[in-house]
Amino acid sequence: MSPHSKRAKRVVNVKKTTNTLRGEIFYDDDCALCTRGATRWGELFERRGFHWLPLQTPDTTTRTGASEAELRAEMKLRFPDGRVIGGVDAWVALFRSVWWLWPMGTLIGLSGVKGLSAAAYRWFARNRHCISGACGLRHHSPAYHRHGTFFELP
């Protein structure tokens, strides 16, 4: 069981205001940043019919058709008809479900912007554990790194 499972259960059990399931959002419950995001934004998308589930849920690989590695690489969105999308495509669909986020969904979905959005998302997804402080790397103040590399060359 994940160390964040109490938070995940709270997100999954958010009161729904729609009876129509529009999709299942699979997020990484081992990522503190992802769990905080699901907690913060969960109700917004729950009200629109999207159900949040940790990707660590037992039958996730069967439900999504994705391997464990693919699930860990990016969040997934599964629609009731069985289609599964991930990463930026999933965020485009989610943003377009909210009237005031619809312009952002349209913008990041544009062909010229989508490549940049996808690259940024992939970088963020690869580094999400370090961004949330869980990777164990020691962070230095900017002053520490300011001139060290250039002036310390042999």
Side-chain angles (χ1 to χ4, degrees):
M1 196 65 153
S2 166
H4 304 289
S5 59
K6 289 181 183 174
R7 280 188 262 175
K9 288 178 184 171
R10 182 177 53 200
V11 172
V12 171
N13 292 325
V14 172
K15 181 182 173 189
K16 296 180 184 177
T17 57
T18 182
N19 292 331
T20 306
L21 178 67
R22 293 178 63 190
E24 296 171 318
I25 305 165
F26 293 93
Y27 68 98
D28 186 0
D29 190 37
D30 289 337
C31 166
L33 192 63
C34 303
T35 303
R36 280 194 308 267
T39 301
R40 179 180 177 111
W41 298 102
E43 189 174 349
L44 174 70
F45 294 109
E46 286 272 351
R47 287 192 310 256
R48 284 150 180 88
F50 294 98
H51 187 65
W52 291 80
L53 294 168
L55 63 85
Q56 293 82 359
T57 303
D59 63 343
T60 300
T61 54
T62 305
R63 291 164 89 167
T64 61
S67 69
E68 287 284 331
E70 291 171 324
L71 288 172
R72 297 241 179 237
E74 64 182 10
M75 57 90 68
K76 299 289 184 192
L77 174 59
R78 181 181 180 274
F79 294 101
D81 64 4
R83 285 182 303 124
V84 177
I85 58 176
V88 168
D89 293 325
W91 284 112
V92 167
L94 290 169
F95 287 168
R96 287 182 176 174
S97 73
V98 180
W99 72 267
W100 54 272
L101 288 175
W102 189 89
M104 178 65 77
T106 301
L107 177 67
I108 65 173
L110 292 174
S111 61
V113 179
K114 190 173 183 179
L116 292 173
S117 301
Y121 178 85
R122 285 190 303 271
W123 179 88
F124 184 84
R126 271 193 318 271
N127 295 289
R128 67 186 181 269
H129 294 288
C130 285
I131 293 168
S132 66
C135 69
L137 291 178
R138 201 175 76 203
H139 296 282
H140 300 288
S141 67
Y144 177 82
H145 290 291
R146 191 175 339 187
H147 302 295
T149 306
F150 180 77
F151 291 115
E152 292 178 8
L153 290 176

